[in-house]
Amino acid sequence: MAELVTKNITKQFDGQTVIKDISICLHNNEIVSLLGVSGAGKTTLFNIISGLLAPEQGQIILNGEDITGKAGKISYMMQKDLLLPYRTIEDNVSLPLIVKGEKKKKALEMVRPYFKEFGLEGMEKKYPSQLSGGMRQRAALLRTYMFSNEIALLDEPFSALDTITKSSIHQWYLAVMEEIKLSTIFITHDIDEAILLSDRIYLLTGKPGRITEEIVIQEPKPRRKDFNLTNEFLSYKKMIIEKLEG
């Protein structure tokens, strides 16, 4: 079972504390979001969880193992898809397996069954420039999944998409997460997105950034397609706005 815990994470840059005493958790098959204004330290926290940065204080625990400062344990998808333009989609997606030591032929065989599940069937031989923004994000998410099929960190994965595309990919994302059982923490500035996708929402606010609230979204999964039009949704949104402004 995928269980990630951060314990009292504190990070400083040039003597300035950026985040302080951050303790959050992620359980098996759960989607958790970090919601807050720019500058609260969300990306810094992701860099620490992924092992790219070491904290001044605190621990990152994955399934009982202390992985603080250890890169390569958790997959991390940044805001831009970072697909290599000179490689086909199947080559891009199989890259994490090759980096881990798989032969190219074997890596391609391993990734091909997932193209249908991720809505990318028929796109294997295309290049990133030939795909829409939504398709590129699907490919980037599949590549992230191939790096680690247990836990993923997603940093504003849908922020560059237009409203219509984003709405469509939200529905797809929830459906595919149910299928592949990938436990996920994602960063967003979009309150609607956080409510629609999350089991729980952590509000990260202030300077230094601290967790000021944990909000549990009671709407069962799979979510109703019109959930964002319900009174329950609007109540969550009003509560979050009040807490962020407070």
Side-chain angles (χ1 to χ4, degrees), residues 173-238:
Y173 173 76
L174 286 172
V176 81
M177 287 300 105
E178 283 293 297
E179 287 293 321
I180 65 177
K181 310 298 183 187
L182 179 66
S183 303
T184 309
I185 306 177
F186 73 95
I187 288 174
T188 182
H189 293 97
D190 187 330
I191 294 173
D192 287 24
E193 180 174 77
I195 299 169
L196 283 169
L197 301 184
S198 306
D199 295 294
R200 291 183 294 118
I201 300 169
Y202 287 109
L203 301 187
L204 181 61
T205 61
K207 291 189 177 182
R210 289 182 169 89
I211 298 296
T212 54
E213 197 76 33
E214 177 188 356
I215 298 163
V216 178
I217 306 299
Q218 299 290 351
E219 177 74 10
K221 294 192 296 185
R223 298 269 158 89
R224 292 174 284 170
K225 288 189 176 181
D226 65 345
F227 176 47
N228 61 329
L229 302 176
T230 64
N231 289 330
E232 293 91 338
F233 180 92
L234 295 174
S235 294
Y236 284 122
K237 186 170 183 177
K238 181 181 179 183

Side-chain angles (χ1 to χ4, degrees), residues 1-69:
M1 290 179 65
E3 179 152 339
L4 177 71
V5 178
T6 77
K7 294 184 176 180
N8 305 111
I9 297 295
T10 296
K11 180 63 182 175
Q12 296 178 341
F13 291 112
D14 299 325
Q16 288 284 105
T17 301
V18 179
I19 53 175
K20 187 173 178 64
D21 292 328
I22 302 293
S23 295
I24 65 174
C25 63
L26 174 68
H27 302 300
N28 188 49
N29 193 28
E30 189 176 40
I31 301 174
V32 168
S33 65
L34 282 174
L35 178 63
V37 298
S38 296
K42 298 183 294 298
T43 298
T44 297
L45 179 60
F46 264 25
N47 286 335
I48 292 171
I49 294 173
S50 65
L52 298 177
L53 289 176
E56 267 66 47
Q57 173 187 310
Q59 294 176 290
I60 308 296
I61 308 295
L62 176 61
N63 294 329
E65 176 190 355
D66 188 340
I67 63 165
T68 311

Side-chain angles (χ1 to χ4, degrees), residues 68-115:
T68 311
K70 297 179 182 178
K73 298 286 187 177
I74 295 172
S75 59
Y76 185 2
M77 177 176 159
M78 298 184 184
Q79 188 171 352
K80 294 183 179 179
D81 60 62
L82 300 179
L83 297 173
L84 299 175
Y86 51 86
R87 287 180 179 263
T88 63
I89 298 303
E90 65 179 2
D91 283 342
N92 267 283
V93 168
S94 62
L95 191 58
L97 298 175
I98 294 170
V99 169
K100 289 181 178 182
E102 288 288 352
K103 298 292 185 183
K104 182 177 179 180
K105 183 178 179 181
K106 176 65 174 176
L108 290 172
E109 288 173 358
M110 291 170 69
V111 302
R112 281 175 185 142
Y114 291 99
F115 274 78

